[in-house]
Amino acid sequence: MKKILKKILFKKNDDRNSDKSLIKLALNKLLSTVMGIVLIFQNYLDWRPKRIYQAKKSGKIIDRKLYILAIIKNEGNYLDEWIYYHRAIGVDGFIIYDNESTDNSKAIIDKHSQFIDIDYHFFPGKSKQIEAYQDAIEKYREKQIWILTIDVDEFLRPINDTDIKTWLQSFPKKVSQILVPWTIYGSANHVSRPAGLVIENYPYHSNDQFITEYKSFVKPELVRKAFMGHFYKTIGKIVSESGKKLWYYPYVLLVGSRPSSKNFMTINHYYCKSVEDFEEKIKRGDVFDYEKNLRNFNEFKIQDKNDILDVDVSHYIDKITNLKNSDAMTKS
């Protein structure tokens, strides 16, 4: 029955475009609403009214620091740029789980720890992503911060240089989770890994009609359960980056799916990079389910979008350069 429903309600994996059907859009909204109502019941059955009330009371704090949560494995080629970039746009700290890296990742983290708070955990084992995320939520449940969960090939991107903290403070107190859509960046036809910055080497991305996945900001005290790499089961209101109410995670392959707004914030996802990089990504396996690695070159073809040139990339390159110079001066 599950397989039959999936065939009826979900599109083919390579169909990432809107079908424009109003009937399917209405069905999408209905299904999302039903899943959202089920989530509410699950929350009350698991946490009960007293704990929910206490969590919501704590969740009303508006002024919060922003921490990025990530699980890494041998990301030394790109980790330095990724940390510099997010420091440059105003992130307050990092929570990093290291899934048995054997490269120079720890040395890079130690270097940046001199300038920003990095909570580092060596986290061995297979298929550890959700366990790591839940561990971080429990450790930070009383800290009253925002946590953004992304990978090292994902860069938070303010639209029109939106101030991240001001944007986060603009949401109502009852918001527990903000879903921000990807912008997919293609390979720029690189076969071998080029030297230099990711944001400089891969400047082309998908158009706004390409339907993408999401990543989320959460208040840890309102998280009941880390559900998947893109979504948490939270107590309270779930919204899009522009503040629109969402009942549940907007599955991109669910019939009637539409592209999300990108009015204030997006996640630049450098999914492909070069062919060489993608081959290495396949070999690393999936930290969510090691036995079922979903990465393959068919997915590379789907995600290799080079439609639009990113004309603002030099702005962020300058930010990184300035921060590197500042670090050098501080150390000297």
Side-chain angles (χ1 to χ4, degrees), residues 152-275:
V152 176
D153 61 358
E154 297 170 327
F155 291 63
L156 177 63
R157 178 69 170 270
I159 303 298
N160 295 324
D161 223 15
T162 297
D163 182 79
I164 300 170
K165 297 295 182 57
T166 302
W167 171 73
L168 286 170
Q169 291 175 4
S170 71
F171 289 93
K173 295 179 180 180
K174 60 184 176 181
V175 168
S176 62
Q177 183 166 198
I178 307 166
L179 295 182
V180 179
W182 283 344
T183 296
I184 297 294
Y185 280 68
S187 68
N189 298 316
H190 287 293
V191 175
S192 299
R193 180 189 300 128
L197 298 177
V198 169
I199 62 175
E200 186 172 21
N201 291 328
Y202 305 98
Y204 295 95
H205 60 79
S206 59
N207 62 54
D208 287 340
Q209 293 306 306
F210 185 71
I211 303 175
T212 68
E213 301 282 359
Y214 302 75
K215 286 299 182 78
S216 61
F217 290 80
V218 293
K219 297 174 180 176
E221 68 268 38
L222 292 174
V223 174
R224 180 173 66 84
K225 184 178 181 181
F227 178 55
M228 56 182 181
H230 298 252
F231 183 69
Y232 291 82
K233 291 189 175 183
T234 56
I235 307 294
K237 189 175 181 180
I238 304 168
V239 297
S240 71
E241 57 85 38
S242 59
K244 179 181 177 182
K245 178 177 174 56
L246 300 172
W247 282 95
Y248 204 73
Y249 184 82
Y251 287 110
V252 300
L253 295 179
L254 187 65
V255 293
S257 295
R258 296 289 192 273
S260 175
S261 66
K262 297 175 183 176
N263 295 325
F264 303 99
M265 211 67 56
T266 186
I267 305 287
N268 289 1
H269 190 191
Y270 297 89
Y271 181 87
C272 299
K273 295 203 275 293
S274 69
V275 173

Side-chain angles (χ1 to χ4, degrees), residues 132-141 147 218 220 223 226 232:
Y133 293 167
Q134 188 67 44
D135 186 72
I137 291 298
E138 299 304 331
K139 282 182 168 65
Y140 282 81
R141 195 175 288 283
I147 291 178
V218 293
V223 174
Y232 291 82

Side-chain angles (χ1 to χ4, degrees), residues 5 10 83 85 97 99 137 141 159 239-240 289:
L5 286 173
F10 284 81
I83 294 177
Y85 173 90
Y97 286 77
N99 187 218
I137 291 298
R141 195 175 288 283
I159 303 298
V239 297
S240 71
D289 190 341

